[in-house]
Amino acid sequence: MSSSIATELAGAAFLAYPYPVYRRLIEQTPVFWLPHVHEPGGMWCVARYRDVAFVLHHAPVFKDTSRIAPPERLTPLDRAMLQRDPPDHTRLRRLASHAFTPRRVQNLEPRIEQISRRLINQIRERGTADFITDYARPLPIIVIAELLGVPFEDHERFSAWSDQIMIGSDSVLGGEEAAHRSREAMAALVDYFTALIRERRQHPRDDLISALIAARDAEDRLNEDELLGMCVLLLIAGHETTVNLIGNGLLTLLRQRDQLSLLQRHPEYLTSAIEEMLRYESPVQRSTPRFAAATFEIAGQRIEQGQQISLMFGAANRDPSLFPDPDRFDVTRHPNPHMGFGSGIHYCLGAPLARIEARVAFSHMLEYLPDIDLATDQPQWKPVTWLRGLQRLPISV
Ligand code: HEM
């Protein structure tokens, strides 16, 4: 079972449409062992919604990779909050929240609208576009770069590094070559942020890096490694996923024209439509790694202490025991307790920002691109299985 499922998950049909496989897993093997393809070991994958929720909220699991990996394999991402446990996680998340305030995020909205209008105008002038290159990618990248305080002219470079890190981190598809490129990209990103942090220490500005340097909690503050980890995490988490939400969301709307016209007639459904996009084509299909702190059982499967676990958000979000008619895209779906942003203590810190970006993007599309359509219905998906996003999406307007 395990090696055949690994082959299946690495196949083109799965990348194009993973949901029948997820349904079968939910029904037949809700917890299964997925071997790593290019290195020893593997991980338990959990597909059913209630089991995913159990692991996130109740199971004895930890995230701190430094407890199990040799120091030379750790990167700054391993020192960031996403791979830490309480009390370190609590402390890092609290310090980040001091800098990443709701006000800072809310204040970004006019700027997001401005960037979006400029990108849309360029598309309208040309009449055709690759929606990913011309809109879905630049919008979140410019936003997270400006938020952090990364100079505009460097956007392209760090976006390429971020892509390489994501592709190299896929244990199902990523080979030695991809892992090598990912390590090089991480080294380049670390050098880049080290220099930028040094500069901002001397000349603080009104940006998130300066705010993170200054963030204090009583006598506590971020040390150098933690600052670096935080910047790398925010940069990567802050754009890979939002690009995918906007790209996947548009493809879904253009394939389900009845839902698009319902939204055109009733823009008040935009908020629930975006939640449905997060459920229906989740940008994060599998969680980041967790490890069993003690042996425990789930859905009749014994997980040994130290073994790796991954939660299949993409499958859980289509679990029929929670979502009636789960393969139907319904912009009015309510309630919609999807796990597109995860759940529990690692629930996405950037969810409010991602929601604002998506709201601006789709309200502008409804308003300024009423005739938007697919130029071809053969979209190219990125060669990654734990994230879900398009490489290209040709459109006409
Ligand atoms: C549509 C866009 C986004 C999606 C779908 C998404 C999804 C997720 C998910 C599923 C997790 C939990 C992962 C796990 O438990 O293994 C997470 C965590 C996180 N996300 Fe996002 N994210 C998005 C946008 C953003 C943005 C814009 C930022 C920041 C600017 C961000 C920053 C973070 C951080 C810092 C964490 C770790 C939180 C913690 O460990 O406490 N994300 N995100």
Side-chain angles (χ1 to χ4, degrees):
M1 167 68 194
S2 54
S3 65
S4 64
I5 185 72
T7 312
E8 191 166 18
L9 297 200
F14 179 82
L15 268 192
Y17 199 71
Y19 304 106
V21 176
Y22 288 161
R23 175 64 76 92
R24 201 189 69 223
L25 292 170
I26 284 176
E27 285 166 1
Q28 296 174 13
T29 34
V31 178
F32 64 95
W33 180 251
L34 183 63
H36 296 324
V37 177
H38 297 284
E39 55 181 29
M43 57 192 171
W44 289 107
C45 291
V46 178
R48 286 194 309 214
Y49 188 98
R50 65 171 175 276
D51 298 335
V52 170
F54 168 77
V55 175
L56 288 174
H57 294 275
H58 306 293
V61 293
F62 68 92
K63 293 212 96 226
D64 191 344
T65 22
S66 71
R67 285 174 60 178
I68 44 133
E72 66 276 11
R73 294 209 50 181
L74 300 177
T75 73
L77 270 182
D78 293 291
R79 306 318 297 150
M81 72 183 99
L82 188 50
Q83 285 309 135
R84 303 286 284 277
D85 300 300
D88 297 333
H89 169 265
T90 322
R91 180 184 149 258
L92 289 173
R93 186 156 172 139
R94 198 167 47 222
L95 282 164
S97 317
H98 286 326
F100 204 74
T101 57
R103 194 167 62 88
R104 189 182 284 276
V105 173
Q106 201 53 55
N107 285 350
L108 281 172
E109 188 154 354
R111 178 67 184 135
I112 298 172
E113 288 182 343
Q114 194 182 27
I115 301 166
S116 165
R117 274 202 197 90
R118 182 166 58 74
L119 296 170
I120 285 185
N121 283 341
Q122 288 166 355
I123 294 177
R124 277 169 40 163
E125 276 162 25
R126 284 207 310 274
T128 60
D130 170 26
F131 183 72
I132 304 301
T133 315
D134 298 324
Y135 187 92
R137 251 185 111 66
L139 180 75
I141 291 173
I142 296 172
V143 170
I144 192 67
E146 287 192 359
L147 183 67
L148 278 167
V150 172
F152 182 81
E153 57 276 16
D154 296 337
H155 292 180
E156 298 282 329
R157 268 202 301 162
F158 74 70
S159 164
W161 292 330
S162 169
D163 255 12
Q164 277 160 8
I165 293 169
M166 287 296 104
I167 291 175
S169 61
D170 197 303
S171 61
V172 175
L173 289 176
E176 192 38 54
E177 172 67 28
H180 175 71
R181 278 206 302 273
S182 163
R183 282 192 294 273
E184 280 186 348
M186 180 59 85
L189 202 53
V190 165
D191 285 349
Y192 183 88
F193 271 121
T194 306
L196 199 60
I197 290 170
R198 195 179 311 124
E199 200 276 330
R200 288 300 193 281
R201 253 190 217 293
Q202 283 160 0
H203 308 288
R205 294 194 197 165
D206 182 20
D207 60 30
L208 196 61
I209 295 186
S210 308
L212 285 167
I213 292 171
R216 277 184 168 280
D217 206 28
E219 281 313 297
D220 189 16
R221 64 196 313 171
L222 297 169
N223 68 32
E224 208 59 33
D225 272 0
E226 291 168 343
L227 250 177
L228 201 54
M230 184 85 78
C231 290
V232 173
L233 173 63
L234 288 175
L235 176 77
I236 295 181
H239 86 254
E240 287 295 332
T241 47
T242 314
V243 175
N244 296 349
L245 171 60
I246 298 174
N248 299 357
L250 181 67
L251 176 68
T252 307
L253 279 176
L254 294 179
R255 279 178 165 174
Q256 330 262 341
R257 304 297 299 201
D258 62 319
Q259 295 298 300
L260 175 59
S261 49
L262 182 61
L263 201 52
Q264 280 165 333
R265 277 177 283 124
H266 294 281
E268 68 273 17
Y269 289 140
L270 192 54
T271 303
S272 59
I274 289 167
E275 298 310 306
E276 181 68 343
M277 291 169 193
L278 283 156
R279 181 193 75 83
Y280 187 82
E281 286 281 22
S282 309
V284 178
Q285 294 273 306
R286 280 201 312 274
S287 74
T288 54
R290 278 148 177 91
F291 305 90
T295 299
F296 67 95
E297 234 184 62
I298 180 163
Q301 179 61 57
R302 194 177 149 91
I303 314 282
E304 302 292 340
Q305 182 177 5
Q307 285 184 322
Q308 186 175 328
I309 304 160
S310 178
L311 309 166
M312 304 187 76
F313 296 134
N317 284 339
R318 298 271 191 129
D319 187 334
S321 66
L322 209 75
F323 300 100
D325 204 357
D327 295 329
R328 204 168 83 80
F329 176 70
D330 174 2
V331 296
T332 67
R333 187 179 289 273
H334 182 81
N336 190 349
H338 68 78
M339 292 197 191
F341 287 124
S343 183
I345 62 167
H346 293 282
Y347 180 81
C348 179
L349 183 75
L353 175 59
R355 286 189 168 114
I356 292 180
E357 291 185 50
R359 203 174 59 233
V360 169
F362 287 102
S363 65
H364 280 186
M365 255 168 269
L366 293 177
E367 190 175 347
Y368 303 125
L369 300 176
D371 299 321
I372 189 167
D373 207 349
L374 294 173
T376 151
D377 199 4
Q378 302 275 306
Q380 274 175 15
W381 295 94
K382 287 183 202 161
V384 196
T385 59
W386 74 279
L387 301 176
R388 182 157 175 79
L390 292 157
Q391 221 148 19
R392 284 173 45 74
L393 183 60
I395 50 156
S396 59
V397 297

